[in-house]
Amino acid sequence: MAESAIRSATVHAGAAKAQRAGEKWAPWILLAPTLVIMNVVGVYPLLHSLYISFTGAKPTDPNAHQGWVGLKNYAEVVSDGQFWHAVLVTGGFTALSVVSSLVLAVLMAILFNRPLPGFVLMRSLILIPMLVTPIAVGLIWRIMMMPELGVLNYLFGIVGLGPFQWGSSRGSALASVVLVDVWQWTPFMFIIIFAGLKSLPRSPFESAQIDGASGWQTFWQVTVPMLKPVIVIAVLLRLIDAIRTYDTIYIITRGGPDFVTDVVSIYLQRVNFRFFDLGYGSALSWVTMLLILAVVLIFVNLSGFLRIVNEKEAR
Amino acid sequence: MSVQIKNVEKSFGALKVVKGVSVDIADGEFFVMLGPSGCGKTTTLRMVAGLELPTAGEIRIGGRDVTYEEPRHRDIAMAFQDYGLYPHLSLRGNIEFPLKVRGVPEAERRTKVESVAQKMGISHLLDRKPGQISGGQRQRVALARALVRNPRVFLMDEPLSALDAKLRATMRTEIKKLVTELKITTIYVTHDQIEAMSMADRIAVMKDGDMVQIASPLEMYERPQTKFVAEFIGSPAMNLLPARARPDGRMACDLPVLAELLPDAELTANPVAPAKMAAYIGIRPEHLSLVEGGEGQADFEAVVDLVEPLGQTTNVYLNVGDIRMIAVVDRTRVQAGQRVGVKVRREALRLVAA
Amino acid sequence: MSATLARHKARERRRAVTLWLLAVSVTVFFFFPVYWMFSSAFKTDEVSSTFPPVFTFAPSMDNFVHLFLEAEAGKALWNSFFIVTIATLLAMIAGTMAAYALARFDIKGKNAMAIEILSVRMLPPIVSVIPLFMIARWLGIFDTPWLLIAVYTLSGLPFVVWIMRVFIQDIPQSVEEAAMIDGCGRIEAFWRVTLPLLLPGLAATMVIVFMFAWNEFLLASLLTSSDAKTLPVIAANAIKPKAIAFGLACAAGVIMSMPVIVLVLMMQKYLVQGLTLGAVKG
């Protein structure tokens, strides 16, 4: 049986060589669809938008000069106070949201890292917020946060707090959207850090115990350093998403009141699709992109993210 | 089936990991490629399997050029270091896999699997999955899968290295017995010299992408051609003393008595160590014996540095001035610090190339 | 001796109860809004606009009926389903192929690839929306499902490549090589051995890619005008300039969230590895 299979498969060495040499192309054939999609749907529009950013494109205004305007749009970006305000708001929103959800997630991971009745079910329930469509998250929180009818003010009223104005007052709007973001994405940080905690070896904790470290010392000297790679990855992913937050803020405050929650993605959407100032909008987009890139690269460098990823690979 | 490897080379990018290896392996031979990690032994084996393509050279199995043939058309079997079992299939599924993809009918598959499983002593496990059995059992399954279709050549890539020492020894004997019985040409890769010595018909010691010496186990042990082979094979390692050629054609050595004792025939016996070049004079530790009291019979004197009794034999570490040597003797009463006479078995002295 | 032991045990129990109560309140914080959304979906507008809010009421299907009869939710549901399914499948197929190439062949530039994928992940979608908008008008595919399919395929792709690469690397190469020696070609070896082993990973990845596309709102709202609207776009319409249609909003939220919640909780085991692009094992 095997003999006949061998004979029928026998080919001239030359043909076999040509065929096996073709294997060199196999990875590129496999990569081709991805590269095509990435370039056609991803890179090309990006380059196109770079081009638009040097023009005065504004389809709604036939009188405007639609052609090449050089660096004019970029010069305007630099002096656009509204934009830099949005950048600050985005920075504040991101920092508050990422830091609070990190702290909360670490505490929760430690809390749930023991076997008590019902913890498995509770962990599953806690995951749900990150699965709810962000638009729905915005809607339900906006409904709960309504000053007169909302259930939040009712609940706080029971314990004698409030009523709060939540998203509709200048003072509490940013805190409100941060709260919603923290509510939705802490579960994401939590499961990553929880998984990291579960995967830590026991022996360092045992030797810390024998060495006489207190719970607090163990936490800072053993748990945190060993969790660092996982924390770095969780923070990076959270950072990238927090900077782009749009949906919940769009639903809850639309950037208001008085622009206190006017993050960059809301501002960009307004410039591009309310005023159809596409040339200027594109320039804004590119500046935004470079800012984000800078933030991420700084974080990647400070945290040694690539080293962590490569170490994972080496194993 | 015989296997010929002719001037085979392999580069990964700029790195040349196999540098023109050639060897003829006879039908039914048990051939071991031995060397430290990174010496190119596994790459060479993978080229015979067809898992890697050589950059240059030719590989023949049974006389047929298979250099660029796909693995499945070479009719070979292979045992991997990590077994390469299919985790999603039962042991039966694993063993019958090669038959199944070749379209062997169900009934025939069944009988073949049963018989090979019986031979490997795993009949009672056939419905389990690889994850549910021990390491030694997994290796048996891998072997069963390799043997079930009577391959023309059997390739093994460090198949025992993941097992513990005791199991490794048992499996070693078992594999050797099995393969000898079936008379299948086998190429076996390992870094363990004991495995190589105990199983091989012939050994090729590899270093930096080259086969530095190809010989039978005993010859390899008796007549290592280079320092690398001399040190790699045998434990404790051969005593090697730097030596230089003298104008008169004899050798000079740090321990002059060894150069004097070296038989003339040895000067030309090693093809890679012409007498004129810098070399070593070597002697296996068991060819040194200790003479207590009767110093007159000794070839030289030494001070005992350390005594390691191993039960069967005893390792005695010796200092001769600055020169450190080791002797393996039967039971002895010598103690550290004691001065002893050492007798050399003259015909065991070798000239070893650097 | 036994007295101290008893005291120790009592202290332990008090501690456990405290922690348990803490855990319950954390769970309540995260789960209450979800509960509120689900319960409000079954309240009539009369019930939900009473203050103080009611916790017990006669459930009504009115909101769902409204949603499908008046708010075109049926069409949006179909659009969402069609667009997201096709995009997920395309991303899965193309991405797994690429992942296999990256995992099994020696290709240079892995760090560059990491950065590139991170940058696709961090692009604010608003950046490419303008050119996509212009190109789509020019090609005449604006407000058709195909535009969103293309966009969602693109945004799912880096995920798939990255995660699947890790899942493929987790399968020992020797398993595939054993199959090739046992008589399979490379493709058959993939089909018979690698693919079955990848199935759980594929399913988990698919769920995550599905989730992100299914939940996406910004691009869907800007690149559709009527025919290709997806569920999140319809749901956002529940906000009228002066008021919110409570019931409709919550009913839409329930319909949008249910598929994802069910799918993800089913695949929980592989979720962490997927969400962290394979960097953290769950």
Side-chain angles (χ1 to χ4, degrees):
Chain A
M1 161 280 307
E3 279 302 317
S4 72
I6 295 294
R7 233 171 296 128
S8 69
T10 304
V11 267
H12 289 298
K17 182 174 183 173
Q19 194 200 339
R20 293 284 317 255
E23 280 186 12
K24 226 172 31 189
W25 295 103
W28 297 107
I29 293 168
L30 291 170
L31 282 170
T34 294
L35 293 178
V36 167
I37 295 171
M38 285 256 218
N39 286 312
V40 172
V41 194
V43 176
Y44 170 69
L46 222 57
L47 295 178
H48 191 76
S49 114
L50 185 62
Y51 165 73
I52 298 172
S53 73
F54 291 105
T55 70
K58 191 170 187 182
T60 47
D61 181 0
N63 298 324
H65 170 66
Q66 311 261 350
W68 188 264
V69 296
L71 286 170
K72 177 169 162 283
N73 290 327
Y74 286 91
E76 274 175 41
V77 171
V78 173
S79 56
D80 182 347
Q82 189 75 51
F83 172 69
W84 294 107
H85 168 76
V87 169
L88 279 183
V89 171
T90 309
F93 171 82
T94 305
L96 281 174
S97 169
V98 172
V99 170
S100 359
S101 54
L102 174 64
V103 172
L104 199 53
V106 171
L107 294 177
M108 280 160 62
I110 292 168
L111 173 61
F112 280 97
N113 191 24
R114 74 190 73 225
L116 279 182
F119 272 22
V120 176
L121 173 69
M122 289 189 214
R123 283 200 300 262
S124 291
L125 290 179
I126 286 173
L127 287 194
I128 294 177
M130 62 176 282
L131 308 179
V132 177
T133 313
I135 286 297
V137 169
L139 288 169
I140 188 61
W141 277 92
R142 183 162 170 174
I143 290 169
M144 294 198 309
M145 281 172 168
M146 283 188 305
E148 288 87 26
L149 293 174
V151 69
L152 286 190
N153 274 351
Y154 168 72
L155 292 175
F156 276 105
I158 295 176
V159 290
L161 293 172
F164 300 107
Q165 291 302 302
W166 303 103
S168 33
S169 107
R170 281 196 54 137
S172 56
L174 188 61
S176 301
V177 290
V178 167
L179 170 68
V180 175
D181 205 54
V182 168
W183 176 81
Q184 180 164 31
W185 295 115
T186 301
F188 169 80
M189 301 270 254
F190 165 65
I191 49 162
I192 294 176
I193 293 169
F194 182 74
L197 202 59
K198 277 265 169 239
S199 70
L200 293 184
R202 289 182 58 90
S203 54
F205 293 97
E206 286 166 355
S207 48
Q209 220 170 356
I210 287 165
D211 291 343
S214 68
W216 190 244
Q217 284 168 324
T218 309
F219 175 74
W220 284 110
Q221 311 289 335
V222 182
T223 316
V224 169
M226 287 207 296
L227 272 182
K228 191 190 161 200
V230 172
I231 291 179
V232 164
I233 286 161
V235 168
L236 181 67
L237 294 172
R238 189 71 274 280
L239 195 66
I240 291 170
D241 281 341
I243 295 178
R244 314 194 297 182
T245 305
Y246 176 85
D247 303 4
T248 45
I249 299 182
Y250 172 82
I251 294 291
I252 295 173
T253 64
R254 297 234 169 161
D258 220 3
F259 301 110
V260 289
T261 58
D262 196 29
V263 290
V264 171
S265 45
I266 299 267
Y267 177 61
L268 280 177
Q269 191 267 352
R270 200 163 60 238
V271 172
N272 282 314
F273 289 90
R274 186 84 55 85
F275 312 131
F276 280 96
D277 206 343
L278 300 187
Y280 183 58
S282 297
L284 280 175
S285 306
W286 271 86
V287 173
T288 308
M289 212 155 65
L290 294 178
L291 286 175
I292 296 177
L293 193 70
V295 170
V296 171
L297 284 183
I298 288 171
F299 180 81
V300 164
N301 276 328
L302 286 184
S303 63
F305 174 76
L306 283 178
R307 209 182 54 242
I308 291 167
V309 171
N310 287 338
E311 265 166 28
K312 294 257 163 203
E313 225 155 78
R315 273 197 287 114
Chain B
M1 220 46 82
S2 67
V3 176
Q4 279 114 22
I5 303 174
K6 284 187 199 160
N7 303 320
V8 164
E9 293 179 10
K10 175 73 184 180
S11 309
F12 291 108
L15 187 69
K16 207 169 190 180
V17 291
V18 177
K19 301 168 182 166
V21 161
S22 294
V23 63
D24 278 2
I25 299 163
D27 190 14
E29 185 174 355
F30 197 114
F31 186 78
V32 173
M33 293 194 278
L34 172 68
S37 64
C39 71
K41 56 189 192 300
T42 295
T43 309
T44 308
L45 187 77
R46 289 168 60 85
M47 288 192 284
V48 176
L51 297 170
E52 306 277 0
L53 294 185
T55 332
E58 195 180 286
I59 293 167
R60 291 177 173 271
I61 297 179
R64 192 164 59 85
D65 182 357
V66 297
T67 317
Y68 299 102
E69 201 127 284
E70 283 190 46
R72 61 182 159 149
H73 296 145
R74 299 186 183 208
D75 200 19
I76 47 174
M78 186 156 169
F80 295 83
Q81 187 172 1
D82 57 359
Y83 320 122
L85 296 181
Y86 311 122
H88 60 302
L89 299 178
S90 65
L91 299 198
R92 182 189 303 283
N94 267 279
I95 299 172
E96 72 173 359
F97 188 89
L99 302 176
K100 209 169 174 179
V101 295
R102 285 183 161 75
V104 176
E106 162 100 48
E108 193 184 336
R109 284 200 318 248
R110 230 188 148 70
T111 50
K112 281 194 168 174
V113 169
E114 304 282 343
S115 92
V116 76
Q118 183 142 36
K119 189 182 289 174
M120 298 306 301
I122 47 173
S123 302
H124 56 300
L125 302 169
L126 281 179
D127 294 318
R128 300 220 193 147
K129 296 240 170 124
Q132 302 165 320
I133 59 176
S134 72
Q137 290 169 331
R138 277 181 220 170
Q139 194 50 268
R140 276 166 207 271
V141 177
L143 291 172
R145 182 180 63 182
L147 293 173
V148 73
R149 51 171 242 260
N150 262 322
R152 302 194 298 170
V153 179
F154 203 164
L155 309 177
M156 304 198 194
D157 183 8
E158 308 220 13
L160 305 182
S161 63
L163 304 178
D164 65 57
K166 205 165 171 191
L167 201 53
R168 201 151 57 207
T170 347
M171 287 301 285
R172 201 163 68 206
T173 359
E174 217 166 293
I175 291 180
K176 172 74 179 169
K177 233 171 91 184
L178 205 69
V179 176
T180 323
E181 216 169 90
L182 297 169
K183 296 192 173 56
I184 303 174
T185 313
T186 303
I187 308 180
Y188 188 105
V189 159
T190 182
H191 63 266
D192 179 348
Q193 52 117 358
I194 298 179
E195 264 173 44
M197 292 293 289
S198 59
M199 299 168 91
D201 292 326
R202 267 196 308 162
I203 301 174
V205 172
M206 293 191 70
K207 184 199 178 193
D208 299 335
D210 261 327
M211 287 186 176
V212 289
Q213 188 174 353
I214 304 175
S216 72
L218 280 183
E219 194 189 338
M220 192 73 85
Y221 185 79
E222 294 287 336
R223 302 199 158 273
Q225 290 176 347
T226 62
K227 178 174 185 255
F228 179 79
V229 176
E231 285 179 338
F232 202 83
I233 292 190
S235 170
M238 195 176 209
N239 294 299
L240 292 173
L241 292 105
R244 300 156 297 280
R246 280 190 332 210
D248 67 355
R250 298 284 310 172
M251 299 298 289
C253 178
D254 296 359
L255 193 58
V257 64
L258 293 187
E260 281 160 34
L261 287 171
L262 186 70
D264 287 349
E266 285 301 321
L267 287 172
T268 49
N270 186 345
V272 302
K276 296 261 176 274
M277 281 171 46
Y280 293 88
I281 292 177
I283 179 106
R284 291 276 174 203
E286 65 271 28
H287 296 315
L288 296 178
S289 45
L290 304 183
V291 195
E292 278 177 273
E295 263 84 355
Q297 301 160 16
D299 293 312
F300 59 91
E301 283 194 358
V303 177
V304 176
D305 186 29
L306 185 72
V307 180
E308 273 179 2
L310 300 177
Q312 220 163 39
T313 57
T314 304
N315 296 345
V316 182
Y317 295 81
L318 303 166
N319 288 339
V320 190
D322 296 339
I323 304 166
R324 299 173 61 86
M325 299 181 82
I326 178 167
V328 174
V329 298
D330 295 338
R331 301 213 169 147
T332 175
R333 283 170 309 158
V334 297
Q335 287 181 343
Q338 193 179 333
R339 177 165 281 276
V340 293
V342 183
K343 177 120 186 81
V344 178
R345 199 164 154 228
R346 196 177 171 210
E347 58 278 27
L349 282 168
R350 298 286 177 256
L351 190 60
V352 176
Chain C
M1 178 66 204
S2 68
T4 44
L5 185 67
R7 217 170 326 133
H8 177 74
K9 273 199 164 163
R11 200 166 52 223
E12 280 293 294
R13 174 153 318 146
R14 260 201 313 277
R15 209 172 120 85
V17 168
T18 318
L19 291 174
W20 192 80
L21 287 176
L22 202 58
V24 168
S25 40
V26 169
T27 310
V28 167
F29 169 68
F30 284 102
F31 189 68
F32 178 76
V34 178
Y35 156 77
W36 198 247
M37 178 172 85
F38 275 77
S39 73
S40 301
F42 296 95
K43 290 175 188 165
T44 58
D45 272 351
E46 269 165 78
V47 177
S48 39
S49 35
T50 51
F51 194 90
V54 290
F55 287 84
T56 49
F57 55 92
S60 131
M61 293 300 285
D62 281 8
N63 296 319
F64 293 93
V65 174
H66 268 261
L67 199 61
F68 281 95
L69 290 185
E70 288 157 33
E72 295 182 313
K75 188 161 181 348
L77 184 62
W78 165 250
N79 277 340
S80 273
F81 180 75
F82 177 73
I83 291 169
V84 173
T85 305
I86 303 265
T88 306
L89 287 179
L90 285 177
M92 288 306 297
I93 294 168
T96 305
M97 284 165 65
Y100 186 81
L102 289 174
R104 286 289 191 250
F105 294 88
D106 202 25
I107 297 174
K108 285 181 186 124
K110 282 186 178 163
N111 273 352
M113 184 91 189
I115 295 283
E116 187 184 339
I117 282 162
L118 278 180
S119 29
V120 174
R121 268 282 273 136
M122 74 197 183
L123 275 188
I126 192 91
V127 172
S128 45
V129 106
I130 300 165
L132 282 172
F133 176 77
M134 296 171 85
I135 295 164
R137 293 220 138 165
W138 180 63
L139 285 177
I141 56 169
F142 181 78
D143 199 26
T144 69
W146 303 108
L147 180 58
L148 282 182
I149 287 175
V151 173
Y152 291 164
T153 306
L154 173 75
S155 50
L157 211 44
F159 258 105
V160 181
V161 175
W162 210 236
I163 307 171
M164 288 315 296
R165 194 178 69 113
V166 175
F167 280 127
I168 292 170
Q169 278 171 340
D170 279 352
I171 298 176
Q173 190 149 0
S174 65
V175 173
E176 228 167 277
E177 289 175 344
M180 282 164 71
I181 282 171
D182 284 346
C184 298
R186 207 176 246 281
I187 295 171
E188 200 187 356
F190 177 83
W191 201 252
R192 280 194 181 236
V193 175
T194 317
L195 192 64
L197 294 174
L198 278 180
L199 280 180
L202 278 169
T205 312
M206 201 148 96
V207 166
I208 291 169
V209 171
F210 180 90
M211 172 173 100
F212 279 100
W214 179 265
N215 285 346
E216 205 283 333
F217 166 71
L218 177 59
L219 293 168
S221 71
L222 299 178
L223 296 178
T224 61
S225 59
S226 60
D227 286 350
K229 277 188 185 171
T230 58
L231 268 184
V233 180
I234 295 285
N237 287 346
I239 299 191
K240 304 286 186 301
K242 280 286 164 213
I244 307 175
F246 301 115
L248 283 188
C250 292
V254 168
I255 289 179
M256 280 190 291
S257 308
M258 273 314 278
V260 177
I261 294 176
V262 170
L263 281 175
V264 172
L265 290 185
M266 268 164 46
M267 298 305 303
Q268 230 188 98
K269 198 177 152 210
Y270 297 89
L271 192 63
V272 174
Q273 202 170 4
L275 285 172
T276 55
L277 303 178
V280 179
K281 269 220 173 98

